[in-house]
Amino acid sequence: MARLGTALATAIAIGFGLLTVWGLLSSANVPIANITQVILQLAVIMVAVTILLGVLNLFVVHLRRIGRRQKGWVYSFVLIVSAAAVIGLWITGQTTTNQFLLENVELSVESALAGLMVFALVFGAYRMMRRRVTWSAVLFTLVLLIILIGALPVPQVAFLASVRAWLLAVPVSAGARGILLGIALATVVTGVRVLIGQDRSYRE
Amino acid sequence: MSQDPKKIPGWLRGKGKPEQEPPSEPPTPEPPTPDTPPTADEADSGDFPPWLRGEQPPAAASDSPAKLRRLSAQPPEQQGSLPPWLAGMEESKSVKIGGTELSEEYLKSADELPDTLDSEMTYDSWMAQQLESKRVKDIEEEIPGDLIDLIKEDQQAETVVDPGEKKATGQLPDWFLGLEELDTTEAPDWFQTDDKAPKATSDQMPPWINDMVEEEPAEEAPPEMDDIGSFFNSIGSSAADEADEADEEEEAPDLDWFSAPEEPEQRQHLPDTGFFRQLVGKGESEPSSKALSQADTLPSLDDTQPKPPDQPLTPPKPAAPVKSQFELPDIDDFEDEPPEREDEPRIDIPQNELDAFFDNVAADRDDSPALSFDDIEDPEMEWIVPPEPVAEEPEPEAEPAPESSSEDNLNWLNELQGIVNSATRPLQPPQEEIVPQDIAKAWDAPPVQADSSDSEADAFAWPETEYVEPEPEPQQDSDWLTTITPDDDQPPTEAEISQALEPPPMPSTPPTGGSLLSSRLRQAQEQKAPQPAPEPEDEFPSEEALIPEDELQTGWLTDDLFVDEQDQQAAPAASSQSKPDDDDFFSMLEANADANLLDEPPDDSLFNDSTIMTPRPPELKSEPPAEDEFFAALNFGGGQEAQPAEQEAEPQDDQFYSSLFGDEQGSEQPAASDDMYASWSDEQPATSETEAEPQDDQFYASLFGDEQGSEQPAASDDAYASWSDEQPATSETEAEPQDDQFYASLFGDEQENEQPAAPVASNDALPSDDDLFASLNFGDDEGSDQAEPLTASSFENEMPQTGDLFGSLNFADEQADNQAEPSAADRDFFAALNEPEIDELPPAASEEGLFEQWSDESPAETSAPAQDNDFFASLNEPDIDALPPAASEEGMFAQWSDQPIEESAVPAEDDFFAALDMNNALEEEPVSEHDDVPEDFFASLGLADEADASPTQPVRDDNLIWNVPSENEVPAEAEAEADPYREWDAPQKEMPPEDDFFAALGMIGEAQPADTLPAADQDVTEAPPEEDFFKSLGMIGDEDASAAIRSSGRGATTPPAFSDVDSYLASLNSEQIDVTPTTDDLFKQGGSVDIDALFSEPVLPERTEKTKTDELLPAVNADWLAQLQASVGEVSASAIVRQKEDKPVEELSDRLKKLRARAEQIPDEAPAPESDALTNVLPGVPSSLAAAPVSGTESTLLQNVVLTADQQNKVNLLKALVPLDERVGTNRMSAIEATYDSPFMADLEDTAETVVQPTKAEATPKARPRKRQRQRIVLRPDRFLIAVILALAVILPFLFTGFRVGSLPPSSFAAGSPEQVAFSQLDRLKPGSLVLIGMEYGPTAAAELDPMTEAIIRHVLLRASYPVLISGDALGSLRISDLFAPINADTAFLHRIGLTQALAANHDYYIVHYLPGSVIGLRAFSENTTDLLLTDIQGQTTNLRVRSLKDFALVTVVTDRAETVRNYAEQIMPLTQAPLVSAVSYSAAPLAEPYAHTLGGGLLIGYQDSYTYNVMLGTANTLNMGQRIRIIPTDEPTVTAPLLPAEAQGGVPAEVSTEAATAEAAATEPASLGTATVNSTNTVNMRSGPGTTNAVIAGVPGGTQVTVISYNADRSWVNVRLASGVEGWISAALLTITPKTALTHLEFYGKQRIDPGEPTNTPRSTRVTTRAASPTATASPTATASPTAAATRVPATATATEGAGLLLAQATSEVTAQTTTESAPLGVTETVIPTATATATATATASATSTPTAAATAQATAFVGAPGVTFTLPPHSDGYQDERWYAMNLGIIASAIVIGFGAVFNVVRGLLRRGQRG
């Protein structure tokens, strides 16, 4: 039964996958396209449900932690309270408050954290060659400096700006394209594997 | 059971040796010739078992009864050869301790002890075992397969199976399944069913006993052997086996049995007595302070107990189990598999003690059908997962050797013994005395049953053949046994006891088989003998009902016994204090042994240490090191002194104790004394202080398990904590799992079974090998003895079971004892030992588990009823339940407390000791301790004489003590369970733990309790808890106590009951020593405790008041149970310990934290060295277990001791093994690790890797630096400097213009650049177009991309288009609306777009769905655009009726992830013809750029482009703002004519009017939404209306092109017009529609969407829209009018006189420049812009004017060239855009400098290093 079940699950998955592909490749007016849309909607709904589940799980986990007084339970408490407050505000329609919190708390905090990265990144770059000086490290450092300095709107480093532009237009773009091509190929391969059931068991 | 002195052997009565030998004198160190019969009274020797007498083991005589065989089973070899060190224990007393000289020989004897190095057992193997034990095991593994089989068999076998048992549960016993109930039917049933144990007996017997009996008497067990007998046999056998080896081996006295002849190594793995010696420390080398303190606290070394350290603690192994003993495979063998039983089917699972235990049980079952697994053990195997470390060696050992069928039952016991033996190999072969038949009789003959004599004989009878009498111990045991046996039904007569006691003069002869336990047991017996089975009835029935003296006396322990012990002990106790050195310790042990043993040939080592054997103490007094303490603890009598010390003493002791009794204690105790106290303190906060003596606490705890701990005032925080923790909540306790396990095993399982265990435990407590073993043996013996009476009386048949039980208990105890010795290893060892038990314990492997179970049960059965049941069942649940005192510790204590005992104030130790001392008091002999415990214990058990004397009583006793109702009682008990627990909990608080405990046990006779010893005279009611305890135990009758006292010569004058250890000691040594200050006081004083002083202290008055701790102790929380359960099955004891060690302080419960803090404070009070020493002793113990303050000063013992070179070497070895220097932190390495690291263990190592070459130079091992990983925040200058630089770089530009480096971004995008393309795409938007904007970023990128998004939205609005915003980012979608806030606040902008009101959602813009699922979401959106755009993010109707993505004129994505761009490119763009404009962050630009190039939509990157974009927007408003179209949700497609005039009033530029006219004109034109082609090869129908129901008005051939006029609601039908002008409806499915280029939103929806149009001023709801007829866009000529508008507008912008002038000026200039170059594309209003520019420029700077170029220059000059601008001057641009830009520039510069400098620096640095290398 187990094998049969697996085969069945795989067959279903493959079937729907092919159906979806078929629908996506067909014109919008084709009936199959409607089915595809339904499938996609279901997928989106499921994803949304997973988000809800995640929220619930979040609550459960942290409530449990609070109940057990586990380490960091205070933070959990704060989290729960915050989440509950936000939800409550949203439900009650007090979006203004929510927006205020979002902009003045969430945004500020995340932006600040992002801003702090500069310190770590710069320090990391500063120490990059402390252990070992390699050609790659040197190259990296040079390019980094060129890009940085070249970005400066300072006439004195105009030549670096041109170098920077060239770097971005040629090597960087080439690399990016190569990466994108690789991604595309990998996506196709993975898609095929998924469609034929080689990449997923579809049953656990 | 009044003590009949006649019945009591003389030796028990203390007539023997103590009299002969002045207690003050150290035990004559006879060479450890086990053969040397007890020097005491040879005349009495007749009473002694043969092995005790040094005779050949009865085992030799196969015909001897089983009892004898068992006794004989004890290693006879030992007799023959005492360890040299023992032999060396001659009287030469070079050392004075406490004024008492210690004979050199005595000290030498210690020297002779083999070093642990000798042990064959390698730690590797041991480790392997532990690991194996730790391994998570399946239930199947957990449960011995044999067990299951046995169960089945039992079920099948009617005889075996109890009818009452629940077979329905299936193969597995109910208790195992957790289904077990406390139904009376269970326990009693099996008794009934049991052939051997008639119901009547069962009734008499306490349920738990029954259970035990059932369990233990395995089928395998030889019929002849009783449980006890088997046990002893096993012990004896082991002892015998060991004895053989022991002879060879120096130290490992009793361990021999364990190590078994097969493997001498095993012995080694456990620290030998030498180890303990070392622990104790020598005067020279600083003994661990703790050890010293312990030593101080330890009862006088001189105590009579002659237990040679070498001698196996375990009494002669029971014949059945013996087999295992003999055969005991190496520990290594045990690791993987349990040793196979020769006789019986081998049990494979033995790794776990539990398994072994079960196996044994099963075997027993086989033998005794009565047994039922259910009855056997409650604990669920599953969650009990055998504590890893602990289970290791011990188990396997036990199993391997099951020789006889009974052996199986006892296998695990054997294992334990084996472990213990291995750990503490007796130097000499255990001089197990073959229990003379007489003795056997005494043992066997349960007073209760007439038949019991026979049955008991079987049960208790030592395996004749097997037993080889362990030399010293056996003697003691034998004595003890003899005392027991003589009277079958009745407790041994005094004469018997005295005889028994006498024979084994400890000092004279090397410790015969008698172990500490045995000695204790003896003592207990002696003491109890008079009190044997003291009125079990009274006691049992009610907690309070302490066994009357009569009853107690009825027990085999009589007053005389006690008296004797007291006498004996008294001296030793005092003396013991003085002995510091190891040698001293051993000598002390010997002395103690002597004293305790009542002249029995002392096992020097053991008894030396075990000051317990007080008789000599005065003389010997060598202060027992921790070991001593331990021993002391073990030796109840000796315990007086020793006990206090013990607590503090090495955790080992604690462990041991814990193992013995409370799980909790053990667990907690393992830690430093502090920890122990803490554990206690938790429960009894106050106590900790008072009870300065952690050791004592520990000991108590160990003895009584959790309860004690809890109840006991436990001085030490940890200990208290552990207790309290456990009770309340548990996990906190941290108590070391091992201990816990051990305790649990002991207590939980066994102890619960109980008390037998407790007494035994006490015996076990003996740390030294010999001592331990001796003690163990003793304990066992005693236990067995006690058991015997019960069995004999009530359960003849069952006796074997009981015997097994006791045996098991004893085993455990013994093992524990043995284990206790090795500090680290000890733990493991103990853990291993305990594991099985733990495993068995249903509630939890850990202490907590036990407690939880207990507590849970007690307080509220609800929590873990099943477990509890199981647990109790296993433990004799019925008993527990029945026991009013409690199943749980608390309960016990509570009970105790409830009882007359009011001594709460007394430190637990004291209480405990006092309780213990009861016996001692009675018996001055070394055995006194034993006496105490045994008495009580046995009394409680009713096993002892009581049973014999009054069968009924014993039963009661049992019930009382154990709460184990007889079968009949069971039901009531079940109910009582809860109560008992409650009682426990409550009482604990109130009552001093000890008291409570005792009370709970009901063991304590009112008067008798140890305390009572001195106070024997006192009234029972007044008697301290101990008394109560003993009374409850029935061991001690008040009368007995008094009698004992009298006999001892102390007389009634001695203080009443033992309130404290002091009191106890005083009682014991009252004659010799007057101890005025109590130990508590001493400890309170701050750590400098002089043993001498301690012992010299006067007895404390009885405690009438509850200790603070009692009151303060919080009630047990059920939570901790749960916590325990969680961790129970996970790991072995050691693992648990580690876990707890690792457990961060934060996670500790408040209580533990407090305790911890307290403990930490304590060290300050006490000298550091002490604490270090203790902690070192237990490497694995968390730092929380800080050293007890008690150890503040070096004991005089150490100071006084003179060490020989050898001794010093040994001390050094010990020190090497146990780092002394530092306190071990939480991260301290485990014992095993420490051992490995120890250079001295090289010999033991199997692999070279682990071996550390010993550096002999390391006389003083270096303590391992405490690895405290404190995470400091190291501030690196470079990092700090860089951070500062960067911070300043980004901040200064905001403050000082001088730091504004570089130029602002260009005011326009370069022609042909992606940015320009993007801008153009937006700028080409026609009014009314829909623009899809994906805001795909979160707050993290908001700072960078928000300006970009805002710019795009503005641009879209400026183009009179409608942005439709979506997001796949949850937060991004929420933030979209916020982006409109600044726009709405920008009135100027609103004016620009022709609005006087703020933008309204779903009118001017649309924020729609959050698209979950990333790619899937996008794809779904692209596929189902219409539906997804029907509602906005808030669920409001958008009124957007988009058919598909094709309806969007432009798609824009703003993101910080290149992947998002790719997703849009892949998922969106294929379905739309609109271009894609990508606005990305800097980070996403590289990968996004290819798509931008490919799709041609343009690319905007980062803040720079957004800046430029915004600047451009400031001037590029080329749209005719008056043409904005508003969509109205109306169905009427009315198109209004020009509304513009009205809007113009609102400030709309005049030019609008022109467009309005145009628009109006256009509005009249028929709407054309585009063209369509019939997509069919056939002719399609054109109908009069949408829907097939309408009539067909025409046929349209396929391929015909038609004009699209409109759509129906759902756009499924298209209103078309044929070229002929005929209009009709064709299905949209049949048409290929080509939308009109740049189809506006208005056009798309056709007329019906157009609002008739009203003045702009109309309310928004009726907002008028004008048709943004595309032609109007081209109506640019009107732009000429724009200058006016611009002029009007500029003020608004410029009004931003706030300072925005700069921006405006710049923008103007840029635009101007652009105008010159790119006017063409912008087309519309080139001319207008310049005008505006002029105005703006004028506003900004008067001079900057005329030309845009000039303006730009002026700007540059102003900010870049004028660094002198003051801080206040710099105006900020809107949104600080400029400042941000400059900050970025400066930040980049700083970063580049830093990075460049770093690169250079590092490169140079690397080069320099390379050069240096070169």
Side-chain angles (χ1 to χ4, degrees), chain A residues 24 37 41 44 99 102-103 106-107 110-111 114 119 122-123 125-126 129-130 144-145 148 152-153 172 176 180 183, chain B residues 1279 1282-1283 1303 1339-1340 1342 1371 1374-1375 1378 1419-1420 1423 1486-1487 1491 1781 1785 1788-1789 1792 1794 1798-1799 1802 1805:
Chain A
L24 293 174
Q37 292 181 1
Q41 290 298 319
V44 172
Q99 292 301 123
L102 181 64
E103 292 297 325
E106 180 69 18
L107 178 63
E110 288 201 23
S111 297
F119 297 97
V122 171
F123 185 74
Y126 166 81
M129 289 183 288
R130 171 160 293 188
L144 175 61
L145 292 175
L148 286 175
L152 290 173
V172 173
L180 293 174
I183 292 171
Chain B
R1279 179 175 295 179
I1282 291 170
S1303 61
T1340 301
L1371 292 176
L1374 292 175
R1375 293 190 62 253
D1378 295 334
R1419 187 67 192 185
E1423 293 291 336
L1487 288 177
Y1491 292 100
W1781 174 255
N1785 290 341
I1788 290 171
I1789 293 171
V1794 170
N1802 289 318
R1805 181 167 165 269

Side-chain angles (χ1 to χ4, degrees), chain B residues 396-666:
Chain B
E397 294 173 352
E399 293 175 350
E403 293 177 356
S404 63
S405 62
S406 63
E407 292 174 352
D408 295 342
N409 295 335
L410 297 176
N411 285 341
W412 72 271
L413 295 175
N414 293 336
E415 292 178 353
L416 294 175
Q417 290 179 342
I419 294 167
V420 172
N421 291 336
S422 64
T424 61
R425 285 180 301 172
L427 295 175
Q428 296 173 346
Q431 294 175 346
E432 295 178 353
E433 295 177 356
I434 297 169
V435 176
Q437 294 178 347
D438 295 344
I439 295 169
K441 291 178 181 178
W443 287 73
D444 296 344
V448 176
Q449 294 176 346
D451 295 346
S452 63
S453 62
D454 297 345
S455 63
E456 290 177 353
D458 295 345
F460 295 94
W462 298 89
E464 296 174 354
T465 57
E466 295 177 352
Y467 275 103
V468 176
E469 295 177 355
E471 298 170 349
E473 296 175 350
Q475 291 176 348
Q476 296 174 347
D477 295 344
S478 65
D479 294 344
W480 181 74
L481 294 172
T482 56
T483 58
I484 295 168
T485 54
D487 295 343
D488 295 346
D489 296 345
Q490 295 177 346
T493 61
E494 295 176 349
E496 292 176 352
I497 296 168
S498 63
Q499 291 175 350
L501 294 174
E502 292 174 355
M506 295 303 293
S508 63
T509 61
T512 58
S515 63
L516 292 175
L517 293 174
S518 62
S519 63
R520 290 179 179 177
L521 293 173
R522 289 178 183 175
Q523 294 175 346
Q525 291 175 348
E526 293 174 354
Q527 294 173 346
K528 294 175 180 178
Q531 297 172 348
E535 299 172 356
E537 296 175 353
D538 295 344
E539 295 175 351
F540 291 101
S542 65
E543 297 174 351
E544 295 175 351
L546 298 174
I547 297 167
E549 294 178 353
D550 295 346
E551 293 178 355
L552 294 174
Q553 292 174 347
T554 58
W556 28 281
L557 296 175
T558 60
D559 294 346
D560 294 345
L561 292 174
F562 287 95
V563 170
D564 293 345
E565 291 178 352
Q566 293 175 343
D567 295 345
Q568 294 174 345
Q569 294 175 343
S575 64
S576 63
Q577 296 174 343
S578 63
K579 295 178 181 177
D581 294 347
D582 298 343
D583 296 346
D584 294 344
F585 174 81
F586 289 99
S587 64
M588 292 174 66
L589 293 176
E590 293 175 353
N592 293 335
D594 295 345
N596 293 336
L597 295 176
L598 300 174
D599 298 343
E600 292 178 355
D603 295 344
D604 295 344
S605 62
L606 293 174
F607 295 95
N608 292 340
D609 294 344
S610 64
T611 55
I612 301 161
M613 329 309 227
T614 55
R616 295 181 177 174
E619 298 175 354
L620 296 177
K621 290 180 182 175
S622 60
E623 295 175 355
E627 301 166 354
D628 294 347
E629 295 174 352
F630 175 81
F631 291 97
L634 294 175
N635 296 337
F636 284 92
Q640 293 174 343
E641 299 171 353
Q643 293 170 346
E646 293 174 353
Q647 293 175 341
E648 296 172 350
E650 298 93 353
Q652 297 172 347
D653 295 344
D654 297 344
Q655 293 175 347
F656 174 78
Y657 293 105
S658 62
S659 62
L660 293 175
F661 260 118
D663 297 341
E664 298 171 352
Q665 292 176 342

